[in-house]
Amino acid sequence: MKIVLLGAGNVATHLGLRLIQTGVELLQVYSRTASSATELGKLLGVPHCSDLKQLDKTADIYIYSIKDSALSEVISGVNIPDAIHLHTAGSIPMDIFGGFAHHYGVLYPLQTFSKAKPLDFSQIPLFLEANDDHTAGILTQLATRLSSVQYYLSSEKRKKIHLSAVFACNFTNYMYRIADDIVSETGLPFDVLQPLITETADKIRYLTPTEAQTGPAVRNDEPTMLTHINLLKENENALKTYITLSEQIKELYKK
Amino acid sequence: MKIVLLGAGNVATHLGLRLIQTGVELLQVYSRTASSATELGKLLGVPHCSDLKQLDKTADIYIYSIKDSALSEVISGVNIPDAIHLHTAGSIPMDIFGGFAHHYGVLYPLQTFSKAKPLDFSQIPLFLEANDDHTAGILTQLATRLSSVQYYLSSEKRKKIHLSAVFACNFTNYMYRIADDIVSETGLPFDVLQPLITETADKIRYLTPTEAQTGPAVRNDEPTMLTHINLLKENENALKTYITLSEQIKELYKK
């Protein structure tokens, strides 16, 4: 299984490391930014290029881990119609490849990646889609090497999974940020919140989020909510968030 | 160190288990609800009562793990002015004991507790406050047995820590709930989000929440945000939350 990886960002870096780890033949990495291509090529110990004209044309699979806004331009610049072409984006339909390739699909890893933070790729859920049986067969083989968790899913459903991740990851992290701002006003380090954050994430392995909901809003504890609103007078964003989310939680748990 | 524990909810249950574990002499548990008193008494293997008249008056320390709205009534019903009296609430000032006791303080454990879910109490940050040196001395001894992480903090700063926990825990869990709703529309189990949720919580041990922020809003990816807003047309709460939080994140990361 010979692969060329296009992209050198967070997803491409972790995917590249995992590809090497599972022993597939990674022929080359490409990035429009020469320094990024060099960096990832060195990290993975494989050739790199930053010009699509130098792309290795002998691979079985071309994987595009490129930001959404650049995907279409890069795809149209690669003219290898008989290979399999895959992108890794949550919100982009598979049909972006239509007209540029015969065999194509999607391999979307549901995770938050940062270059500097190692993680266990083998447990990451992979959402797969393929335009024909030939592609599906090879995509399944590839995905099985990468992770033990895989689902075939339509582009429409993949969009919803991506949207759910915005809440579960991006907005959750924003809640951590507001909490960090408030803690810093006491002079204590953000670390004091880590056991609570870890336990909150762990708890929903045993309870549904609906069962796990606690706090002043769920018990309609008006005095505490008023205390909190007063404390947030100087922090417009946190105040708006507090009121919006508390109203929704109150309403949902009203008996 | 002889202790009586008032309350039989989530905090009281975990605190009671930890007190027994650390070998303090837990004389009795009290709850206004007879069945709760019986249940916790049995779990901990100590006497229980549901009438304040039957409260053991020989303890050194009385710990009130009672919901905020009932705290004042229970405190005023206990007339043992020479013992040390502690509550465990984040948002209630220490002075709630004023007039009812000479020695009093606060022992606030920053964690989310559910009876059914075991956890490691020894790593929970404890926020302490005491009205005099005598109380502070004994409170420090007690806290040191319970956890390795302790901070003395004023009632005002403790309120802020409690407020930060609403964001880091209660609102975070609500983000999980919205994500759960969206995932369920695809027919997939909520479990597919667990690796992402775990990694999001773990990541901020290495990066600040400001550095860890990812997603369409932080990169001002308008097409993806529009796609998401369209997907949320039928889910009023999620839509309002999406717009509110995305606007704030966009604004914060604007260059």
Side-chain angles (χ1 to χ4, degrees):
Chain A
M1 200 177 272
K2 295 183 205 161
I3 295 184
V4 164
L5 177 60
L6 298 99
N10 293 322
V11 179
T13 300
H14 281 277
L15 185 56
L17 287 166
R18 181 63 179 158
L19 286 167
I20 296 286
Q21 203 176 44
T22 59
V24 307
E25 206 175 331
L26 188 56
L27 300 183
Q28 190 184 43
V29 294
Y30 159 86
S31 168
R32 287 166 306 167
T33 314
S35 60
S36 305
T38 307
E39 194 188 339
L40 186 55
K42 275 189 187 161
L43 179 71
L44 302 177
V46 301
H48 59 272
C49 74
S50 58
D51 182 348
L52 284 179
K53 290 185 198 120
Q54 293 162 13
L55 209 65
D56 189 316
K57 293 187 181 289
T58 66
D60 305 307
I61 307 175
Y62 292 78
I63 305 179
Y64 303 71
S65 283
I66 282 170
K67 65 177 179 179
D68 293 6
S69 57
L71 196 49
S72 160
E73 194 191 323
V74 174
I75 289 172
S76 68
V78 176
N79 187 19
I80 310 168
D82 293 330
I84 288 175
H85 297 262
L86 306 172
H87 75 66
T88 61
S91 283
I92 303 291
M94 173 175 71
D95 291 337
I96 193 171
F97 291 110
F100 298 105
H102 302 308
H103 308 296
Y104 51 86
V106 179
L107 186 156
Y108 169 52
L110 181 60
Q111 189 48 284
T112 171
F113 297 98
S114 296
K115 284 182 191 174
K117 168 100 173 50
L119 47 74
D120 180 6
F121 207 104
S122 73
Q123 298 306 310
I124 298 176
L126 300 180
F127 296 95
L128 311 177
E129 196 177 7
N131 81 316
D132 59 24
D133 289 348
H134 167 67
T135 306
I138 305 222
L139 178 56
T140 301
Q141 278 179 49
L142 172 62
T144 305
R145 294 173 86 142
L146 297 175
S147 170
S148 56
V149 190
Q150 306 146 32
Y151 299 91
Y152 270 88
L153 208 65
S154 68
S155 290
E156 274 313 301
K157 287 188 172 176
R158 178 162 26 83
K159 269 186 206 166
K160 288 196 173 178
I161 293 293
H162 183 242
L163 172 58
S164 78
V166 171
F167 286 89
C169 169
N170 307 149
F171 290 164
T172 288
N173 184 76
Y174 183 55
M175 296 301 111
Y176 301 160
R177 178 180 170 146
I178 296 180
D180 187 12
D181 288 346
I182 299 167
V183 167
S184 71
E185 290 172 21
T186 68
L188 290 171
F190 179 61
D191 291 359
V192 300
L193 287 172
Q194 193 64 54
L196 177 66
I197 285 171
T198 302
E199 178 66 14
T200 302
D202 194 50
K203 213 168 176 174
I204 48 158
R205 292 166 56 201
Y206 306 90
L207 302 170
T208 67
T210 303
E211 292 165 345
Q213 190 65 56
T214 54
V218 71
R219 56 176 194 270
N220 201 9
D221 176 350
E222 292 288 354
T224 300
M225 286 188 277
L226 274 175
T227 300
H228 287 165
I229 286 167
N230 275 319
L231 287 173
L232 290 173
K233 266 183 200 149
E234 316 267 298
N235 186 338
E236 197 188 331
N237 280 345
L239 179 62
K240 194 171 173 192
T241 300
Y242 189 94
I243 291 171
T244 303
L245 301 183
S246 293
E247 284 300 325
Q248 293 185 14
I249 296 170
K250 261 169 63 178
E251 196 58 36
L252 282 165
Y253 286 85
K254 207 165 63 180
K255 267 152 208 167
Chain B
M1 202 178 269
K2 296 182 205 163
I3 295 182
V4 164
L5 177 61
L6 299 99
N10 293 323
V11 179
T13 300
H14 281 277
L15 185 57
L17 287 166
R18 181 63 181 159
L19 287 166
I20 296 286
Q21 204 177 42
T22 59
V24 308
E25 206 175 332
L26 188 57
L27 298 183
Q28 192 185 40
V29 294
Y30 159 87
S31 168
R32 285 167 307 167
T33 314
S35 60
S36 305
T38 307
E39 194 188 335
L40 185 56
K42 275 189 186 161
L43 178 71
L44 302 178
V46 300
H48 59 271
C49 74
S50 59
D51 183 347
L52 284 179
K53 289 185 198 119
Q54 293 162 15
L55 210 64
D56 190 316
K57 294 189 182 289
T58 66
D60 305 306
I61 307 175
Y62 293 78
I63 304 179
Y64 303 72
S65 283
I66 281 169
K67 66 176 179 181
D68 293 5
S69 57
L71 195 51
S72 159
E73 194 190 324
V74 174
I75 289 172
S76 67
V78 177
N79 186 20
I80 311 168
D82 293 328
I84 288 174
H85 298 262
L86 306 172
H87 75 66
T88 61
S91 283
I92 303 291
M94 173 174 72
D95 291 337
I96 193 171
F97 290 111
F100 299 104
H102 303 306
H103 308 296
Y104 52 84
V106 178
L107 187 156
Y108 168 54
L110 181 61
Q111 189 47 286
T112 171
F113 298 97
S114 295
K115 284 182 192 175
K117 170 100 173 47
L119 48 77
D120 179 5
F121 207 104
S122 73
Q123 298 306 311
I124 298 175
L126 301 179
F127 296 94
L128 311 177
E129 196 178 9
N131 80 316
D132 59 22
D133 290 347
H134 167 69
T135 306
I138 306 225
L139 178 55
T140 301
Q141 278 180 49
L142 172 63
T144 305
R145 294 174 86 143
L146 297 174
S147 170
S148 56
V149 190
Q150 306 147 30
Y151 299 91
Y152 270 87
L153 208 65
S154 68
S155 290
E156 274 312 301
K157 287 187 172 176
R158 177 162 28 82
K159 268 185 205 167
K160 289 196 172 177
I161 293 292
H162 183 242
L163 172 58
S164 77
V166 171
F167 286 89
C169 170
N170 307 149
F171 289 164
T172 288
N173 184 76
Y174 183 56
M175 296 301 111
Y176 300 160
R177 179 181 168 145
I178 296 179
D180 187 12
D181 289 346
I182 298 168
V183 167
S184 70
E185 290 172 23
T186 68
L188 290 172
F190 179 62
D191 291 359
V192 299
L193 287 172
Q194 193 65 53
L196 177 66
I197 286 171
T198 302
E199 178 67 15
T200 302
D202 194 49
K203 212 168 177 174
I204 48 158
R205 292 167 58 203
Y206 306 90
L207 302 171
T208 67
T210 302
E211 292 164 344
Q213 190 66 55
T214 55
V218 71
R219 55 177 194 269
N220 200 9
D221 176 352
E222 292 288 353
T224 301
M225 286 188 277
L226 274 175
T227 301
H228 288 165
I229 285 167
N230 275 318
L231 287 172
L232 291 174
K233 267 184 196 145
E234 316 267 297
N235 187 338
E236 197 188 330
N237 280 346
L239 180 61
K240 194 171 172 191
T241 300
Y242 189 93
I243 292 171
T244 303
L245 301 184
S246 293
E247 283 299 326
Q248 293 185 14
I249 295 170
K250 261 169 62 178
E251 196 57 38
L252 282 166
Y253 287 85
K254 209 165 62 179
K255 271 153 210 168

